[in-house]
Amino acid sequence: MNIGIIIKDYAAGKQFSKNGVPMKSGAEFHAENHALQLMRLGHKVTIMAKKRYWFTKARENINGIDLVRLHAPFRWLEIVIRLFTTHRGIDTFYILGHPPFAVWAILYARLFHKRTVLALTGKAEIFRQSSWRNRVLTKCDHYIALSQEIHDSLITETGIFPGKISILGQGISTERFSTVTDKEKNILRQKHGFAAEDIVLLFCARIVENKGIKTIMEIWPKLHNEFPTGKLLIAGGGQKDLIVQLERLSENNNNSVIMVGEIGDPKEYYQLSDIYILPSHHEGLPTTLMEAMSCGLPSVVSDIGGCRDLIQHDIHGYLCKVNDSDSFYDYTRKLFLSPDERRNFGKNATSFVRKHLDYKMVIPKLENILQQDR
């Protein structure tokens, strides 16, 4: 297949926004990872996204991916022209979210009988048939929902026929995000400045309010007071004011909050940690949670769509109400107290991800959806 992946943004040129938040989102990693996996199966892939900065190239090759950036204010016209000229060979469109210019690809595809698959990565992307653009979005051949919540919302709020919707997570490489032995774990701890006896609570996500960072700030003083060898490991970039608050939190709690900033490969931080925490306010299907589970971590997460698809309460970890700091404290404390429970939940989590969310399972299913006949 010659596949065109359409996505709103593909960050390049600036790593962080003015307030310190990383520019590249989970959706962009989603697009890039799927492009690379599909290319390994022999398919040609082009990613089309908006051109955000004047100094970025309009077209370039990134890891073998043909990346096209569309110029404002006539992105709709440029994508139409490209589909009739430089990219007329595209025979299947895989759209992540619904950037405004994607509707022109859908119209082009319908005109020339090419397949369109629309993947929604969060409940906020659910659309209603209130405008001509949204009505075009209902004309795709198939829809992918990352979670059960998105699947159900697609049916109830857009009227899409259930038979045209598949629930399919974006997947991860469980070979890359793997468990380690106790000996390997201690080597990693020594490498990154942690002691063997430390109990490490990991948060690996953007430091922004909707990821629940303030809930973590509320519970950490109590946890550290009870568990002096506990360490809170924060991996990720984010809002400068929240980072300052975390620095103060660390100073007031014996420098027990370790912040490593934005990192390219978080694998070793999962592998040296003991517990994963994600008190998000909303999620699609959080990649960081899948990675943590794959590395054998029990998790304490918000009871929301996406997280609920991954964590079965008291099997892989614990689900808590959003912003319920008491619940997050109680369940995290429970895991601090029980190495056996951490170990058992971690094994269950690893088994679940390997069975259902490894690229070896996900990508062939995606390939089948993309190449089905209209």
Side-chain angles (χ1 to χ4, degrees), residues 61 98 290 340:
N61 185 292
H98 41 76
M290 288 190 286
D340 288 340

Side-chain angles (χ1 to χ4, degrees), residues 323-342:
N323 291 326
D324 187 350
S325 58
D326 289 339
S327 181
F328 272 96
Y329 167 72
D330 289 339
Y331 283 122
T332 306
R333 177 181 180 273
K334 192 174 180 182
L335 288 173
F336 264 74
L337 287 168
S338 179
D340 288 340
E341 192 169 82
R342 296 199 300 266

